[in-house]
Amino acid sequence: MSLSISLTVNGDRCDVDLDDPRVTLLDLLRERMALPGTKKGCDRGQCGACTVLVNGRRINSCLTLAVTLNGAEVTTIEGLAAGEDLHPVQTAFIEHDGFQCGYCTPGQIMSAVGLIAEGQAGDDAERIREGMSGNLCRCSAYHGITEAVQDAARRMASADERKSA
Amino acid sequence: MPDTVQFPMRFGSSSGQPVTRRDGIAKVTGTATFAADNAPANLLHAVYVSAAIARGTVTSMDVEAAKAHPGVVEVYTPDNVPPLPGDASSKPFMFAFRFEPLQDNSVRYANQPIALVLAETLEAATEGARLLAPKYAAETPRIGLDGNAPFEIEGGGFGLPGTTVHGDVEAGHAAAEASVDLTYETPEQYHNAMEMHAVVAEWDGDHVVLDVPSQALVMSCAAYGYYLGIPAENVTIRCPYLGGGFGSKAALNGPTVLAIHAARLIGRPVKLMLKRDQMFGPVFHRGATRQRVRIGVDGDARMTVLDHESLAVTSSFDDFIESAANASQGIYSAGALRSAHKGVRADVGTPGPMRAPGEASGSAALESAMDEMAEKAGIDPLEFRLRNYAETEPGSGKPYSSKALRECYAQGAERFGWSRRPLAPRQMTDENGMLVGWGMGTALFAAPMFAAKARAVIRPDGTGLVETAAADMGQGAWTVLAQIAADSLGLPLDMVEFRSGASTLPDAGVAGGSGHTATAGGALHAAGQDVVARLAEMATADPDSPLHGAGNATIVARDGRFWVEGDDSRSDGFADILARNGGAEIEGTGGANRPQEAGAAHAMYAHGAVFAEVKVDPDLFQTRVTRLVGAFAAGRIINPKLAESQLMGGMIWGLSFALHEEAKYDMRTGRVVNGDLAGYHVPVNADVKGLEVITVHEDDPYVNPLGIKGVGEIGITGTVGAIANAIWHATGTRIRRFPVRIEDLLAGSR
Amino acid sequence: MKRFDYSRPASVAEALAAWQPGSAWLGGGTNLVDLMKTGAVMPDRLIDLAGIPGLEDIEVSDDGSARIGALVRNSDLAHDPAFAAAFPMVAEAILAGASGQLRNAATVGGNLMQRTRCAYFTDPSSACNKRVPGSGCAAVGGVNGTHAVLGWSDSCIATNPSDFAVPLAALGAVVSVEGSDGRREIPFSEFHRLPGKTPEIDTALDPGELIVGLRLPAGAAAFRGHSRYLKLRDRTSYAFALVSAAAALRMEGDTIAEARLALGAVAAKPWRAAEAEALLAGQSPSPELFTRAAEAATGGATPSGDNDHKIELARRIAARALTLAAAGTPARMPALPASVHGDNAHA
Ligand SMILES: Cc1cc2nc3c(=O)[nH]c(=O)nc-3n(C[C@H](O)[C@H](O)[C@H](O)COP(=O)(O)OP(=O)(O)OC[C@H]3O[C@@H](n4cnc5c(N)ncnc54)[C@H](O)[C@@H]3O)c2cc1C
Ligand code: SF4
Ligand code: FES
Ligand code: FES
């Protein structure tokens, strides 16, 4: 059975010849597309390490079958920065020390970008904590993560204001 | 946190600065490479089958079905795996744990590897493993603290804590005017670093290159070499980053060795990453304990005795006993002290060191018992601890190399507002009617040092290069060690290249025991000093140098130049000196070890005080830690920002210990029922708020030349007790079994 | 994971035609793919519903009813302003479940069809009557502190884990399904099944039938001012309920004109407490009344193992949910996931 799909990953259009319908988006990225930035922490939707954006929304790539993504637009941690220019969330994670080992970090950052885009948390720390609770961090960098997301949300909101002004 | 912290340093000023992580950009852009991110050409994927019983034998596996699955290349079972060259049932070196290289069909714990499948794709390997569908002859497993007869521990040594007695314990009990006799239980906990154990093994003849997370790179080469039957130098480990270790990546484990063995047998590179549920078995855990703590006090609430016994679970085939009772050594002054350990064997994987081994479990019980004793004596828990403050190490009588615990108590209490705490429980509520409670605990962790080596180079352009095979599992070695090295070289941080994370570099020892910064940092410091001294000699001997004849002792290195102290007119640049003297780079080496005399003469610990506020629903008992203030004194803090992160991480581990973590065993099968991240709870972001860390200044002239103690583990100690005590203060219920659960508080209230 | 065939029909008719025994509908995949990974379910064929147009609408009508397409994502429903305003406790329940990422993928239909979280069900090497009829129930006598206290049988003591389903049960939702025999509607109270002797059958859906939507009946929004979903769990977020409750009151002045109450995580179905509802109607709110109602709601509860605490906790959470509902739905929307620690903090 031929399962060719065509999708956009980090802005690049890719035609993927899938020989196996069992391949998850996570394993597609990591093992077949040389994009190992997205991490596996449980493979079962229980940790958030594999978070990427699909069509702009954050999802767990470990529970998403690649075959279902024909036509989808995928953004991974590798595609977030514009060249040398880090995304505000990336900058904020560095500044607020929102990680230690860095293993959960790609997922945290993609989740934060998704959360900010959802527009439900604003810069309210308590809502950010809730909104980021789908991303476990065993190093327990939560304090810095919350600060980073709060800071980035503020910076992005004021940048948006400046743009629209 | 102030932006700049001043510390006296002979050279430069990188140390003490809250520098952001040097590996930050790599980590936020996804370019930091973890073991399983590697994919050499011609790679095979390995998945192993885990035993679904805890004790017995495997009677059959459907190898044909697995092999028939498209993509499956090979299936290794005890029937066809040639033996490992080294003996996996021996203990050839200090940190060796016994494991199962598929040599027979016996099963000694659930999730033991019983077969390994290699396939062209991960999907095929995974399905191949499922298709093996093993059948078993199961025997009744022995699980838990009561599953077997306890045994006495003889000898002592790594993983075998014995009994330590100071003073007359019986007399101490007899002299007590009031006492408590309490029993606490702590469960099996699993490290569960976010990065599962993984390896990519690529052989070339009898050389192998391993991408594998390791907390001890050079030491592990010898260990792998032993099992694989090759010299240590034939093993290369690349490990620029670990996705967390917490002790579980300090020693070798069976599945990893098996995958490397398989790569050699099949003649192709092999990648193995454990599945999350496979993390509950062959890769160590914190053993369960039952601890009895007896404290006696005189009429002034001064301790006449502190008597701590612990029973801990280990595996049926190897020894690692939590040294929980040792948490009562070195912390409080008492007329008599006893720490005693017993073990009990169960059909579980062998426990191993997990963040603050011994101390975390022991502190949980001790600090809870201290609170109960204070309650009984009718005094404030902090006052009780101050009254029993140890001015010298209890038992040994040695002076502390430094001990700012009193300041920790004072600053933590002040920040927390402890003086407003009512003595009795159930006195405070918030605006939503939640019960509010405050509790505290003392934090303590030894400040060890191991052996390490380093190399430092000043290059012709005046920049520095330093090397040591350190491990950064998140504690910040990439940054902190570079800061130390920069200072030792008299160079600004951005002029220093730091190479680390590969076993081909000088041995940095183990990243464990909270001693890595002191140890690897000490070696880098020594290497830097060595090369700087050589360069200074070159300069002062050089007639063309403004420093000619100044003599080594009077010159200092700063910003890539030497200066004559007190004479700003005389200086010479590193690059200039080298250019005039043949233009080649100059190299120095150094090592670190605890200064012998100071080590024998002093007791060395980091100290701290943790204060917790909890809110507990009065009917439903959902508990939230709403404030957690920790004040820690840990010698010189090289990077306050990163140290704060480490300490916070430790405190959250304490929160996790107090409220969340517990592997639940089905006693009938010996299997962990909640062996995944949905069932085995660790805190989520929403569990953490109101966290504050204070680092209390401490100059330690003895602990090591840099005055560094560790911050990696101490945060858990003290915190568990502080939270449990706060829960009692909120509810009036003492729960002596961790984690504190809703159902326990409900039962306790009725 | 067992190999399977994959298809992506472009209409409900195509989907129904594609179905044959051994097929499974694929919604967001957050439950199905997980269970395929553990080997608990092994379909031969996945029929991906994502390509079917017309199942993604949310309509809230003036008569207080609503229609929701089966493919609406959980997060889109919770964050739909009109829906969340009319049915605040449904939004609260959705947001109390899983994580932001999972809710973005999970569909309404998939949520209602999610399987139990009983660990022995998930693990194919354990005996489980739900997974393999007749194989036994490993949870009986095993680790079962979170299992059912109502409506269980000796053959299965599992609970339904859905948060979303609890307020839907309270509000008397109706599930719209379509099969080769056409469309039918299943009242929520009949949708999920108690185990009896056939725990392998979770719902009233026939094989090959597809959920196409969900309907909240006229008047369901009348509870909007006094409705809460409350969830008790072992960590603050990203955890299944130990027990939960959805309480909704239609107030006329100081009197409860009509009450709705359902408990979650106590049985194989969301547990609608009709007796308690009857007892509340026509009364004015008081702690004693709510205690009595909560007693009634848990009437007949018995531990199925090491879980008698759940009975008392269910009782208490029912009383608390009623108390909070009586106090009025909090102004701040979207609500933070329902909290026992106040509206702006959770725990
Ligand atoms: C880690 C984790 C934590 C979670 N926590 C919670 C929680 O706290 N509370 C909670 O309520 N839920 C929780 N969930 C479960 C989550 O809500 C469900 O997985 C999700 O709602 C399922 O929706 P889906 O669309 O992804 O379903 P799928 O996985 O696609 O399908 C689930 C089942 O429904 C069937 N199905 C799907 N669509 C239809 C349809 N239209 N008609 C008929 N059958 C259909 C499938 O065949 C399958 O059997 C959690 C899940 C995970 C992985
Ligand atoms: S409780 Fe039900 S789902 Fe769980 S093992 Fe028993 S039969 Fe299976
Ligand atoms: S790897 Fe996907 S959620 Fe853990
Ligand atoms: S930074 Fe290590 S797991 Fe989050």
Side-chain angles (χ1 to χ4, degrees):
Chain A
M1 151 181 183
S2 163
L3 300 160
S4 300
I5 57 165
S6 160
L7 72 174
T8 308
V9 178
N10 297 330
D12 296 332
R13 172 78 186 270
C14 321
D15 294 315
V16 181
D17 236 344
L18 273 180
D19 50 7
D20 194 328
R22 297 173 295 189
V23 180
T24 61
L25 173 57
L26 176 59
D27 290 331
L28 176 73
L29 294 167
R30 288 184 55 80
E31 307 296 345
R32 295 167 188 243
M33 296 185 83
L35 289 170
T38 307
K39 296 292 180 272
K40 184 180 286 187
C42 70
D43 213 22
R44 295 186 53 198
Q46 302 172 349
C47 78
C50 64
T51 305
V52 300
L53 304 183
V54 171
N55 300 325
R57 296 160 65 110
R58 53 180 175 152
I59 55 102
N60 305 93
S61 62
C62 67
L63 292 182
T64 306
L65 294 172
V67 280
T68 65
L69 293 175
N70 195 24
E73 231 175 84
V74 177
T75 310
T76 73
I77 191 72
E78 289 96 339
L80 200 56
E84 298 278 279
D85 290 337
L86 296 183
H87 186 282
V89 172
Q90 291 173 310
T91 311
F93 264 73
I94 295 179
E95 281 174 11
H96 293 275
D97 212 32
F99 52 89
Q100 294 179 23
C101 77
Y103 194 80
C104 72
T105 312
Q108 300 278 359
I109 289 176
M110 297 315 290
S111 187
V113 172
L115 175 69
I116 292 169
E118 284 160 21
Q120 302 294 337
D123 62 358
D124 177 329
E126 199 69 343
R127 283 168 189 269
I128 289 170
R129 288 186 192 108
E130 167 57 32
M132 292 299 293
S133 282
N135 293 83
L136 301 184
C137 175
R138 186 56 158 160
C139 297
S140 302
Y142 294 126
H143 179 84
I145 292 169
T146 302
E147 280 189 354
V149 178
Q150 207 173 10
D151 188 9
R154 281 189 195 133
R155 276 192 256 178
M156 288 168 71
S158 65
D160 283 350
E161 261 167 47
R162 262 181 276 124
K163 251 186 254 158
S164 61
Chain B
M1 178 70 52
D3 274 340
T4 311
V5 181
Q6 295 294 337
F7 282 112
M9 283 296 289
R10 175 157 177 237
F11 305 130
S13 56
S14 278
S15 294
Q17 303 300 328
V19 177
T20 57
R21 285 177 200 268
R22 293 188 110 200
D23 46 352
I25 291 183
K27 283 179 176 172
V28 302
T29 53
T31 50
T33 309
F34 295 85
D37 297 348
N38 293 284
N42 206 24
L43 182 70
L44 284 175
H45 293 266
V47 171
Y48 70 83
V49 185
S50 300
I53 61 166
R55 186 180 175 206
T57 51
V58 180
T59 52
S60 71
M61 281 189 270
D62 195 346
V63 175
E64 290 316 307
K67 280 196 165 163
H69 190 73
V72 171
V73 171
E74 183 56 284
V75 176
Y76 290 119
T77 72
D79 290 339
N80 66 344
V81 181
L84 265 185
D87 181 1
S89 66
S90 69
K91 288 177 81 80
F93 42 86
M94 173 144 158
F95 295 113
F97 287 90
R98 300 191 171 101
F99 62 91
E100 306 76 20
L102 303 186
Q103 288 310 288
D104 59 43
N105 62 0
S106 67
V107 174
R108 34 194 200 180
Y109 58 91
N111 276 351
Q112 175 190 314
I114 54 173
L116 183 93
V117 177
L118 297 177
E120 299 289 350
T121 66
L122 180 55
E123 292 75 23
T126 307
E127 179 63 357
R130 189 188 70 78
L131 288 167
L132 281 171
K135 296 206 167 34
Y136 307 94
E139 290 167 49
T140 307
R142 299 153 298 185
I143 298 295
L145 291 154
D146 301 310
N148 211 337
F151 65 91
E152 301 289 333
I153 295 164
E154 290 179 23
F158 178 69
L160 283 171
T163 296
T164 310
V165 179
H166 294 292
D168 187 339
V169 174
E170 288 319 312
H173 283 299
E177 289 189 23
S179 61
V180 291
D181 179 349
L182 302 160
T183 300
Y184 299 87
E185 285 191 12
T186 65
E188 272 91 358
Q189 299 175 345
Y190 284 78
H191 303 74
N192 278 309
M194 285 310 297
E195 175 199 34
M196 280 87 70
H197 290 257
V199 63
V200 176
E202 188 168 14
W203 286 86
D204 180 3
D206 60 356
H207 286 65
V208 67
V209 177
L210 304 176
D211 295 301
V212 65
S214 170
Q215 292 176 234
L217 280 74
V218 175
M219 196 163 79
S220 297
C221 288
Y224 283 118
Y226 167 78
Y227 293 115
L228 301 166
I230 55 177
E233 29 325 340
N234 288 14
V235 182
T236 303
I237 292 178
R238 298 186 297 208
C239 178
Y241 303 103
L242 292 88
F246 313 116
S248 74
K249 293 167 182 169
L252 270 57
N253 62 74
T256 300
V257 177
L258 195 57
I260 302 167
H261 188 43
R264 186 193 226 171
L265 297 175
I266 203 78
R268 287 174 65 179
V270 164
K271 182 192 298 196
L272 170 75
M273 177 183 253
L274 269 65
K275 300 204 278 180
R276 178 56 64 182
D277 60 315
Q278 295 178 324
M279 298 286 285
F280 293 78
V283 290
F284 315 115
H285 64 280
R286 198 194 298 282
T289 70
R290 179 179 298 139
Q291 302 175 51
R292 181 180 184 198
V293 184
R294 284 179 287 171
I295 303 173
V297 296
D298 66 14
D300 276 341
R302 285 178 218 284
M303 287 157 69
T304 58
V305 65
L306 172 53
D307 190 355
H308 194 158
E309 297 167 14
S310 174
L311 173 70
V313 179
T314 187
S315 70
S316 67
F317 55 91
D318 210 343
D319 299 322
F320 189 90
I321 304 288
E322 279 295 309
S323 51
N326 286 350
S328 287
Q329 298 286 328
I331 185 163
Y332 297 116
S333 151
L337 269 179
R338 191 173 77 104
S339 299
H341 296 90
K342 281 187 186 167
V344 57
R345 298 205 179 279
D347 297 307
V348 295
T350 306
M354 174 162 158
R355 202 172 192 174
E359 294 292 332
S361 310
S363 164
L366 171 64
E367 293 304 313
S368 300
M370 288 294 285
D371 206 64
E372 299 207 40
M373 188 69 248
E375 181 200 354
K376 192 151 188 190
I379 64 170
D380 175 82
L382 174 53
E383 169 57 26
F384 180 50
R385 286 166 174 88
L386 286 168
R387 235 175 254 189
N388 293 284
Y389 195 85
E391 302 292 350
T392 56
E393 186 181 42
S396 78
K398 284 187 200 174
Y400 291 100
S401 61
S402 62
K403 178 174 179 176
L405 177 58
R406 211 172 249 117
E407 292 74 10
C408 294
Y409 285 139
Q411 292 187 29
E414 168 72 26
R415 180 75 57 89
F416 187 83
W418 181 259
S419 62
R420 299 194 308 275
R421 176 182 179 272
L423 203 53
R426 282 190 88 96
Q427 301 298 304
M428 302 189 288
T429 51
D430 76 354
E431 66 283 6
N432 294 307
M434 297 296 127
L435 304 173
V436 179
W438 291 357
M440 60 88 54
T442 305
L444 178 92
F445 203 80
M449 243 184 110
F450 313 107
K453 296 195 195 85
R455 193 173 87 97
V457 169
I458 294 176
R459 295 188 284 215
D461 63 358
T463 62
L465 164 69
V466 291
E467 302 181 327
T468 190
D472 194 336
M473 48 185 169
Q475 80 278 31
W478 278 117
T479 310
V480 172
L481 295 181
Q483 286 176 269
I484 292 171
D487 283 348
S488 74
L489 291 172
L491 283 171
L493 187 55
D494 58 12
M495 284 177 69
V496 177
E497 181 189 344
F498 176 34
R499 290 192 191 147
S500 178
S503 65
T504 46
L505 302 172
D507 187 359
V510 57
S514 293
H516 202 40
T517 304
T519 309
L524 287 165
H525 178 74
Q529 281 191 318
D530 184 41
V531 70
V532 160
R534 285 167 203 256
L535 188 62
E537 243 163 60
M538 192 184 271
T540 55
D542 177 357
D544 292 336
S545 170
L547 304 175
H548 182 63
N552 239 353
T554 69
I555 69 168
V556 291
R558 187 177 357 110
D559 287 338
R561 301 183 74 79
F562 288 118
W563 308 76
V564 173
E565 205 151 25
D567 179 359
D568 276 358
S569 67
R570 287 176 74 188
S571 82
D572 198 355
F574 292 178
D576 300 332
I577 301 165
L578 289 174
R580 287 194 311 270
N581 288 273
E585 65 175 35
I586 182 166
E587 178 184 327
T589 56
N593 233 321
R594 164 123 315 142
Q596 280 298 322
E597 248 166 64
H602 293 90
M604 298 175 181
Y605 298 93
H607 295 90
V610 181
F611 298 84
E613 175 184 271
V614 301
K615 293 189 175 178
V616 183
D617 188 297
D619 305 315
L620 298 167
F621 299 105
Q622 187 145 3
T623 298
R624 192 168 190 203
V625 177
T626 46
R627 285 196 299 140
L628 207 48
V629 174
F632 299 95
R636 167 176 283 140
I637 302 299
I638 301 298
N639 185 323
K641 185 172 190 154
L642 272 52
E644 186 179 310
S645 289
Q646 279 286 286
L647 291 163
M648 284 187 173
M651 287 162 71
I652 296 171
W653 270 59
L655 186 162
S656 192
F657 193 127
L659 294 178
H660 298 301
E661 278 180 63
E662 173 177 22
K664 295 178 185 149
Y665 285 81
D666 187 321
M667 304 303 268
R668 304 165 305 179
T669 61
R671 302 177 69 195
V672 176
V673 173
N674 62 335
D676 60 35
L677 290 179
Y680 184 88
H681 282 181
V682 299
V684 296
N685 198 318
D687 288 305
V688 176
K689 68 186 285 192
L691 209 54
E692 271 187 82
V693 163
I694 301 165
T695 42
V696 173
H697 181 90
E698 204 175 58
D699 282 322
D700 193 319
Y702 305 108
V703 67
N704 49 53
L706 293 169
I708 297 172
K709 299 175 181 176
V711 293
E713 295 169 273
I714 188 172
I716 312 179
T717 69
T719 304
V720 187
I723 292 171
N725 299 337
I727 290 173
W728 165 77
H729 192 239
T731 62
T733 304
R734 294 277 185 194
I735 304 298
R736 302 191 186 92
R737 174 201 178 281
F738 292 100
V740 178
R741 301 173 301 179
I742 289 170
E743 53 263 46
D744 300 327
L745 289 169
L746 174 68
S749 75
R750 303 219 284 170
Chain C
M1 193 188 287
K2 203 182 84 168
R3 275 192 86 111
F4 54 86
D5 290 338
Y6 171 83
S7 69
R8 191 179 169 103
S11 68
V12 170
E14 263 183 55
L16 294 175
W19 197 88
Q20 40 184 302
S23 304
W25 308 121
L26 178 66
T30 59
N31 187 228
L32 182 59
V33 175
D34 182 25
L35 293 173
M36 288 166 67
K37 286 188 184 194
T38 71
V41 301
M42 292 192 278
D44 300 321
R45 202 167 301 98
L46 288 193
I47 305 174
D48 187 355
L49 305 176
I52 302 177
L55 300 182
E56 293 194 309
D57 297 330
I58 305 167
E59 278 171 52
V60 180
S61 306
D62 291 345
D63 65 356
S65 69
R67 285 179 178 282
I68 307 148
L71 293 182
V72 171
R73 305 287 162 168
N74 286 194
S75 51
D76 290 339
L77 185 59
H79 293 313
D80 183 87
F83 182 84
F87 309 101
M89 72 173 172
V90 182
E92 265 189 307
I94 293 171
L95 295 177
S99 68
Q101 292 93 312
L102 289 162
R103 296 190 296 265
N104 273 343
T107 61
V108 160
N111 191 316
L112 299 184
M113 294 297 291
Q114 65 173 295
R115 313 297 306 268
T116 182
R117 305 303 289 199
C118 173
Y120 303 100
F121 170 77
T122 314
D123 164 39
S125 59
S126 296
C128 171
N129 288 324
K130 191 184 274 300
R131 189 170 20 77
V132 181
S135 62
C137 170
V140 171
V143 177
N144 50 25
T146 59
H147 281 68
V149 291
L150 283 161
W152 51 273
S153 73
D154 289 340
S155 63
C156 178
I157 60 173
T159 61
N160 180 298
S162 172
D163 291 298
F164 180 45
V166 184
L168 292 180
L171 292 175
V174 176
V175 185
S176 311
V177 307
E178 202 166 321
S180 45
D181 294 343
R183 258 189 200 233
R184 62 179 181 126
E185 289 205 317
I186 307 174
F188 216 77
S189 57
E190 292 165 23
F191 186 74
H192 294 102
R193 290 183 68 264
L194 292 178
K197 289 193 159 50
T198 53
E200 68 278 15
I201 306 172
D202 281 1
T203 69
L205 212 65
D206 287 332
E209 266 184 325
L210 181 66
I211 299 177
V212 290
L214 189 65
R215 189 164 68 73
L216 287 165
F223 297 95
R224 73 176 75 183
H226 294 274
S227 58
R228 290 308 294 271
Y229 178 72
L230 208 58
K231 177 177 182 178
L232 185 62
R233 43 184 157 174
D234 285 330
R235 70 181 172 195
T236 306
S237 186
Y238 207 11
F240 287 93
L242 188 54
V243 292
S244 72
L249 305 173
R250 186 162 60 75
M251 301 297 296
E252 282 174 5
D254 286 341
T255 306
I256 300 169
E258 195 182 352
R260 299 294 177 84
L261 182 65
L263 299 174
V266 292
K269 60 190 288 182
W271 196 261
R272 174 102 180 250
E275 204 180 312
E277 292 175 1
L279 187 151
L280 290 159
Q283 308 291 313
S284 54
S286 74
E288 299 71 44
L289 176 69
F290 292 155
T291 306
R292 267 198 298 129
E295 295 279 343
T298 51
T302 41
S304 59
D306 193 14
N307 60 356
D308 43 345
H309 55 275
K310 283 188 70 168
I311 300 172
E312 181 61 21
L313 291 170
R315 203 172 282 150
R316 292 179 181 207
I317 202 163
R320 179 70 66 76
L322 287 166
T323 309
L324 292 177
T329 306
R332 188 162 180 190
M333 289 296 290
L336 263 183
S339 159
V340 297
H341 282 205
D343 296 333
N344 295 319
H346 56 180

